[in-house]
Amino acid sequence: MCGIVGYTGNANAAEILVNGLKNLEYRGYDSAGIAVLNENKLNSYKSKGSLDMLEDKLANNGKIVAGTGIGHTRWATHGVPSDFNSHPHSDCNGKITIVHNGIIENYQVLKKELLTKGHKFDSSTDSEVVVHLLEDLYEGDMVQALIEVDKLIEGSYAIVAISEDEPETIYGLKKDSPLVAGIGREENYLASDIPALLSKTKDFYIFEDDEIAKVNREKIEFYGLNGKLLEKDVFEADWDADMVDKKGYDHFMLKEINEQPDVARRIMADRFTETDIDLGDIEEILAGDYKKIMITACGTAYHSGVIGRFLIEEFADIPVDVEVASELRYKKNFIDKNTLMVVVSQSGETADTLAALRLAKKQGAKVVALTNVIGSSVDREADSSFQLMAGPEISVASTKAYVAMVLVFYLLALKLGNLNNNISKARLKELIAGLKRLPYRIQETISEFDEISKEIAESIKDYKSVFFIGRNIDYALALEGALKLKEISYIHAEAHPAGELKHGSLALIEDGVPVFAITTRENVAMKTLSNIEEVMARGGQVNLITAKNIEYDKIEVDNKLILPEMDNIWSSVLAAIPLQLISYYTALELERNIDKPRNLAKSVTVE
Ligand code: AGP
């Protein structure tokens, strides 16, 4: 979603801001802008569209010399993408300017009051109320003014402000939307996300809610809502700047698909004895006595949770509910102190997932988080966190983080099964040996299915609808296959439990309509086979993704993708890969904006 960068130092602020924002492009945006303090005067430059368009605008304004400034990429919520709705937004006198991520929920009431007081608004955004409030409340002390603003606004926000009164200082405030301060040498930064600043620094302060930072070249000070100075620990990021590079691949998505064998290796390194799995800090919580487990997440992370449910129920014999995080707090949830809550989020900032986490904690549950971003809100607020170790995922379409989540669910399920004495030592030994082979099989799957994925992509690209079917864990894979295809190719894609097709959607199957059938589990494969026959009888084009030792001798499908041989238990990890590749190549055929699909954002920080 929106991105923020702020800078103060001796370098060219405009350049630093634009480059920092480029590192956040993956989050998705539809307009961009910066404001810099040039000879103590605030100048703003904004543009609908891409950062390239903003750069053109900047170039047309000659050399911009400034050492302090703030920048923003906007993903429209209130008001269409346009120059005037782009951030930064300035007060009536053009002396204070701000950028904002999140949503100011009570902006209409505030705007009405501000209009009555004579303030003039230039945009239709919710964000603009913040700068007019600052204008009203500022009496020479910006920290105090921000404290007052924090008391008045409701919703989620990361706000960065500068003022002509203090030409070498930037201010930050946040609640429920991430903000970090980057520590430099005689220069300092603010940003919504660590990757924006990785080429500049690895040392950060992470904002907690309702904290205010005053940042100038020499120092960064944090204040609480009582106006008192706060002590903060420095957080050292372990991601490298070159991890956010395409490294010769055409797209981050393809690079990230190819990183999956290494991700699997990292997750599993030093975890196993012959018959046990070491899950580190979360083990203390896993060992508790729970009546049930609930998994919650959004989108692809939710799909990993659906797989997680099957695995935990199968290996540990514990009932598991899996809930879409955006729905959880609007239903009766039965969460209490006897519930183990597993919250999954690549970014660790998804607003709905965070809200579900907070609800679970409030109701007494113990919360374990699976997240890819150390220091993210989900990471910090959970009782204990397990790092997915996928490295920065830049492509909006999640691939390597998804596979990491699925793998961690395997580890979790086996650990719980072991704690429950539900898996024999001999079986666990076999399973651990399988896990160790998995990175090689993932590599093999990527290499083996690259060509066929291109061919399938070519054959499905002109269809309006594509269907994905599977039963049990294969249905969870079907859900992810459909999401991946639709989000980057914009082809309508639906997933169904294979047996459900005939209860409605079969009416849409006619000559050539592509159907992906996934069969990695013997116990349901033959049942899915009957559903494949139903599709073929209506002329559907069937692409079968199947485990090696499930034999379909009698059936002639259009494409049969046979996964590398290993215990079928692991095929759910492998089957995800051709689904990712087919989506990628279909989007490539259709010349879509693969890493930044329209209307979507990498980190969904609004509800
Ligand atoms: C995945 O391809 C999507 N971009 C999306 O569904 C994503 O998984 C979802 O928004 C959840 O994000 P999170 O893992 O950062 O919480």
Side-chain angles (χ1 to χ4, degrees), residues 321-560:
D321 286 337
V322 54
E323 299 280 1
V324 171
S326 56
E327 287 292 310
L328 187 59
R329 59 195 186 288
Y330 305 115
K331 67 189 275 287
K332 222 168 151 53
N333 58 56
F334 303 101
I335 298 169
D336 59 23
K337 63 179 177 12
N338 299 312
T339 311
L340 170 63
M341 192 79 180
V342 182
V343 171
V344 195
S345 175
Q346 185 284 131
S347 62
E349 300 294 349
T350 301
D352 286 313
T353 308
L354 198 53
L357 180 159
R358 289 175 180 161
L359 177 88
K361 279 187 81 173
K362 204 164 140 203
Q363 289 182 212
K366 280 278 179 233
V367 178
V368 163
L370 313 185
T371 175
N372 198 32
V373 181
I374 307 176
S376 61
S377 305
V378 165
D379 178 45
R380 283 177 292 128
E381 294 190 29
D383 293 301
S384 189
S385 265
F386 190 96
Q387 298 306 320
L388 295 170
M389 288 179 281
E393 192 179 62
I394 306 297
S395 166
V396 165
S398 183
T399 52
K400 62 174 179 173
Y402 167 76
V403 160
M405 289 164 187
V406 171
L407 276 174
V408 173
F409 272 119
Y410 273 96
L411 298 180
L412 208 62
L414 295 183
K415 182 78 198 181
L416 289 166
N418 201 23
L419 286 169
N420 269 1
N421 293 320
N422 205 53
I423 314 175
S424 73
K425 291 286 172 222
R427 179 68 179 134
L428 192 58
K429 203 169 153 184
E430 252 172 44
L431 291 166
I432 287 174
L435 272 169
K436 287 182 179 163
R437 281 197 297 275
L438 208 44
Y440 302 96
R441 297 291 174 269
I442 294 175
Q443 184 62 66
E444 223 176 296
T445 312
I446 295 171
S447 313
E448 205 164 299
F449 291 133
D450 196 61
E451 271 315 306
I452 180 102
S453 297
K454 287 179 192 164
E455 286 164 26
I456 293 176
E458 170 66 34
S459 76
I460 66 170
K461 71 175 194 324
D462 296 323
Y463 283 91
K464 293 252 173 306
S465 269
V466 175
F467 295 86
F468 291 76
I469 58 170
R471 288 169 184 255
N472 187 277
I473 214 159
D474 295 333
Y475 168 57
L477 282 158
L479 285 169
E480 178 55 12
L483 174 59
K484 211 85 304 163
L485 183 68
K486 77 180 102 174
E487 76 173 324
I488 58 167
S489 74
Y490 316 153
I491 296 175
H492 169 243
E494 269 183 45
H496 291 283
E500 279 290 294
L501 207 55
K502 59 183 168 296
H503 296 289
S505 296
L506 199 58
L508 301 174
I509 305 296
E510 53 186 355
D511 254 4
V513 171
V515 177
F516 287 85
I518 303 148
T519 54
T520 66
R521 292 298 175 108
E522 295 93 332
N523 61 335
V524 285
M526 290 307 143
K527 295 282 174 199
T528 305
L529 181 64
S530 314
N531 307 121
I532 293 172
E533 300 273 14
E534 289 158 12
V535 169
M536 287 170 51
R538 276 126 192 119
Q541 174 208 132
V542 175
N543 301 289
L544 176 65
I545 298 172
T546 180
K548 186 150 193 157
N549 32 12
I550 296 175
E551 278 306 329
Y552 289 109
D553 293 340
K554 283 181 248 128
I555 191 164
E556 276 301 318
V557 292
D558 295 84
N559 289 296
K560 198 186 281 186

Side-chain angles (χ1 to χ4, degrees), residues 221-245:
E221 290 175 336
F222 274 85
Y223 296 87
L225 284 187
N226 55 7
K228 295 227 168 84
L229 265 175
L230 300 169
E231 288 286 321
K232 300 273 291 179
D233 291 332
V234 175
F235 168 79
E236 197 184 327
D238 63 354
W239 288 355
D240 285 323
D242 69 351
M243 287 169 118
V244 285
D245 214 287

